[in-house]
Amino acid sequence: IAWERSTGGGGVVVDGSEICNLRVREGVPLLNEDLCRDCENANNSFWTCLVGALVSYWLSIFTNVLRMYPNYDVNCQKGVGIIVSIVAMSLNLLTWRGYYDFCFAAFFNGQYLFDNGQIIREPRETEDSVFVMFSWAPGFALLAVILATFLKVVDFISHFMLPTPSITRNRQEQRAYDELLREANI
């Protein structure tokens, strides 16, 4: 996780394994500690889903490339393309949902009043106090997962709607094609 400091320049970057200790390190209760531990515990399943989605994306790329060529655009490639698209979409949606349920809910949204670097629990303003607003937004990685999921929807629709050549379903056309190949080799 990373954020910029509004004063003094620079920023703070915290490793994912240290995010629950952020409260202790910075002295700011940005995270609900119980929810943060739930997020930390669920993190392994997120990685499993993302790695599975990545593998299915490679399979999808190979299937799409094979379907570009007439001799390789067969029903099994179409079926594999549909199944791989469904698997990739499901894994991405599981990652989204898990992140939202277990992690995003732990982040604090709202404002705190600081006075001399300390959080003031009672709302009293002094000349040294500062209101700080905390809000969270998805970063590039989450946006990439969202984009990849929508691309998988397009991939699924493309595989589903695009028919294979009729020769893959018609035995008579297959025989005629085989005969043409034999004549060409003579």
Side-chain angles (χ1 to χ4, degrees):
I1 187 169
W3 71 87
E4 295 179 17
R5 294 184 182 181
S6 59
T7 60
V12 176
V13 176
V14 178
D15 184 71
S17 63
E18 293 291 320
I19 195 166
C20 291
N21 298 329
L22 183 65
R23 178 181 180 126
V24 175
R25 286 182 46 197
E26 295 293 320
V28 179
L30 298 176
L31 303 165
N32 176 313
E33 288 186 54
D34 294 333
L35 292 176
C36 189
R37 296 293 171 206
D38 291 344
C39 176
E40 192 174 55
N41 293 335
N43 213 7
N44 289 334
S45 65
F46 298 158
W47 279 109
T48 304
C49 287
L50 285 175
V51 168
L54 183 63
V55 168
S56 66
Y57 274 89
W58 280 106
L59 290 173
S60 181
I61 289 169
F62 294 135
T63 301
N64 292 347
V65 168
L66 284 175
R67 285 205 69 196
M68 290 189 323
Y69 299 105
N71 291 340
Y72 297 101
D73 188 11
V74 293
N75 292 328
C76 64
Q77 289 297 336
K78 179 178 180 169
V80 167
I82 289 171
I83 291 169
V84 166
S85 294
I86 291 170
V87 167
M89 281 188 299
S90 300
L91 291 172
N92 280 352
L93 291 173
L94 280 171
T95 302
W96 275 18
R97 186 63 188 185
Y99 180 77
Y100 181 79
D101 287 346
F102 292 106
C103 294
F104 200 74
F107 299 147
F108 173 77
N109 279 310
Q111 69 180 13
Y112 281 116
L113 179 64
F114 286 87
D115 189 6
N116 293 325
Q118 299 297 319
I119 297 174
I120 300 175
R121 301 283 180 202
E122 302 83 34
R124 59 179 166 79
E125 288 188 55
T126 65
E127 55 184 64
D128 292 331
S129 63
V130 176
F131 277 102
V132 177
M133 176 62 83
F134 294 95
S135 63
W136 301 89
F140 291 118
L142 186 58
L143 294 175
V145 170
I146 292 168
L147 176 64
T149 303
F150 286 119
L151 289 175
K152 279 289 122 191
V153 171
V154 172
D155 192 39
F156 169 78
I157 291 170
S158 298
H159 280 296
F160 190 75
M161 299 297 288
L162 185 67
T164 57
S166 61
I167 194 171
T168 63
R169 298 180 300 278
N170 186 327
R171 191 70 177 143
Q172 188 176 7
E173 286 184 38
Q174 291 172 3
R175 285 189 193 117
Y177 179 74
D178 289 341
E179 187 62 36
L180 285 172
L181 284 177
R182 273 192 290 271
E183 289 174 9
N185 288 335
I186 295 177

